Amino acid sequence: MRDQLMITAIASKVDKGLYFFNRRLEVLRTLLRVCELKSDPYSTVTNAVTLTEVRTFKIKEVKAYDSVTGRKLLQIYLSMISEDSTCFISKVDESGGGMYVVNIYKALTQIATSHLESVVLERFGSKCLRIFRVLLLKKHVEQKQIEDFAMISAKEAKELLYNMFSQKFITTSEIAKTPDHAPSRTFYLFKVDIHKLAQHVLERSYKAMYNATLRKDNELTEHRRLLDKQERVDAIIASIDQAGGDDTQKDEIEQTITPTERDQIDTVKRTVQMLETSEIQIDDTMFVLEMYLFYANQDRLLKCTQKKKK
């Protein structure tokens, strides 16, 4: 699942009309599989993998890239992947035809950020998303700068910033000119803390999942009699079809459900389907954020260990 997230992320940035699109994803998938075999699954950056290792694995798998031309093509594909704007893959050495590492933490950070941007868009709208992206790009920004970069009026920027701040999607830092921290002599810089925001959205996702599941269960329980009746009718009609019965018999059975009941059943089914779709979307978000937070903690532990060694 983790590897598939990275493949999907890179695929979304590549023109699917390009003739090398599928080959590029195949090579990426192979590279990730080789890295998985050689690396600790919990490491934030994989061990280096050579072009020769990827080529050998690919030859065993589908007898591809066995020729000199195939080797050159593989080298081109790996170079393209490593030069991709996502920067998930890095070329670290030239030996063995080139050595590549996968930065798992960086990949999941970008994927999590993309999910958080989607949440901002759905919750606050496109203008807030523009502000959010400005903060991601510029790190620490004053309100006046946000107005200029996002091309939003002062009044609107103030309202949108307050809305996101009140719901903990952005934070502020104070830089005082004087020791008394007087508001008139203090700079207020807005910023996005991806780690804290991921934790916040994950908590909200847990609540949303609980509410969606509870609502679905309530809908099914409340209308259980009607749904059971529909199932019985469907089963009887299916048995009539198998027995070679005529349409008159089926019509008589179908008429046992009144138009009002049928409308209620349709409404319940639509509601349940909508809730199930929501559950799937929430589950995807939860998985991405949980993976990101796990590797973020791994990265912090690694840095702490390195500091202690120094």
Side-chain angles (χ1 to χ4, degrees):
M1 285 293 290
R2 182 198 68 187
D3 292 352
Q4 187 57 45
L5 280 175
M6 289 186 280
I7 292 169
T8 303
I10 288 183
S12 66
K13 295 180 179 292
V14 179
D15 184 357
K16 293 178 175 58
L18 296 176
Y19 74 94
F20 54 77
F21 174 77
N22 290 329
R23 287 290 182 87
R24 186 174 175 180
L25 295 188
E26 283 176 14
V27 171
L28 174 60
R29 190 175 286 108
T30 302
L31 175 63
L32 291 171
R33 289 174 69 179
V34 176
C35 287
E36 184 180 359
L37 295 173
K38 288 191 63 178
S39 308
D40 181 346
Y42 303 123
S43 61
T44 56
V45 180
T46 66
N47 293 331
V49 173
T50 65
L51 179 143
T52 304
E53 288 174 315
V54 176
R55 179 169 170 263
T56 302
F57 189 91
K58 199 66 180 171
I59 290 171
K60 288 180 180 178
E61 192 180 41
V62 293
K63 303 296 181 185
Y65 308 108
D66 201 4
S67 63
V68 175
T69 304
R71 180 186 174 88
K72 289 181 179 178
L73 281 173
L74 182 60
Q75 194 166 16
I76 291 170
Y77 293 143
L78 284 171
S79 295
M80 291 172 65
I81 293 169
S82 64
E83 293 167 4
D84 190 272
S85 60
T86 56
C87 299
F88 295 175
I89 317 295
S90 302
K91 189 174 185 179
V92 294
D93 204 301
E94 295 294 338
S95 60
M99 299 185 72
Y100 300 86
V101 297
V102 181
N103 193 319
I104 304 295
Y105 173 54
K106 183 183 287 186
L108 289 171
T109 300
Q110 291 192 33
I111 294 168
T113 301
S114 179
H115 271 70
L116 293 172
E117 286 179 350
S118 298
V119 173
V120 170
L121 177 61
E122 291 176 10
R123 191 169 188 83
F124 302 104
S126 59
K127 290 184 179 179
C128 279
L129 178 59
R130 271 156 52 193
I131 292 174
F132 188 81
R133 285 176 171 167
V134 166
L135 295 176
L136 287 174
L137 183 64
K138 301 295 182 179
K139 308 302 181 187
H140 297 81
V141 194
E142 287 186 277
Q143 182 181 322
K144 182 64 174 68
Q145 293 174 310
I146 292 171
E147 295 164 15
D148 295 337
F149 289 131
M151 294 181 289
I152 296 174
S153 66
K155 181 181 178 182
E156 199 169 17
K158 187 175 182 180
E159 291 175 356
L160 296 175
L161 285 167
Y162 176 76
N163 196 11
M164 286 195 288
F165 177 77
S166 64
Q167 297 194 43
K168 301 180 181 179
F169 275 74
I170 60 175
T171 58
T172 59
S173 297
E174 296 182 7
I175 301 178
K177 293 181 181 179
T178 56
D180 61 357
H181 287 266
S184 60
R185 293 185 293 275
T186 302
F187 291 109
Y188 295 93
L189 303 179
F190 292 92
K191 64 178 182 178
V192 174
D193 187 326
I194 290 295
H195 191 272
K196 287 183 179 179
L197 180 55
Q199 290 176 321
H200 175 64
V201 173
L202 183 59
E203 288 175 5
R204 295 176 75 109
S205 297
Y206 289 143
K207 293 177 183 177
M209 178 64 82
Y210 173 78
N211 290 335
T213 304
L214 189 64
R215 171 76 188 280
K216 185 181 73 173
D217 291 344
N218 286 340
E219 286 287 335
L220 293 173
T221 302
E222 185 178 347
H223 300 92
R224 175 54 58 195
R225 184 189 64 80
L226 275 178
L227 294 172
D228 288 344
K229 185 177 181 180
Q230 175 73 65
E231 287 179 4
R232 287 195 299 271
V233 168
D234 290 342
I236 293 170
I237 291 173
S239 64
I240 291 173
D241 283 335
Q242 289 180 351
D246 56 25
D247 292 339
T248 304
Q249 289 177 298
K250 290 192 288 184
D251 290 340
E252 289 177 358
I253 298 299
E254 286 178 349
Q255 287 173 8
T256 58
I257 299 178
T258 65
T260 303
E261 288 177 329
R262 197 170 296 280
D263 288 341
Q264 285 182 317
I265 290 169
D266 290 341
T267 301
V268 172
K269 285 183 176 180
R270 283 196 302 271
T271 302
V272 170
Q273 186 177 15
M274 179 188 68
L275 291 169
E276 287 176 344
T277 302
S278 298
E279 285 178 338
I280 293 170
Q281 293 172 343
I282 295 168
D283 189 57
D284 287 343
T285 299
M286 286 166 54
F287 175 74
V288 169
L289 296 180
E290 285 172 347
M291 288 290 288
Y292 160 71
L293 290 170
F294 173 79
Y295 280 95
N297 290 333
Q298 291 294 105
D299 186 65
R300 290 184 179 184
L301 288 172
L302 179 62
K303 288 177 180 177
C304 288
T305 304
Q306 290 173 344
K307 284 182 180 179
K308 287 179 181 178
K309 287 181 179 179
K310 291 179 181 179

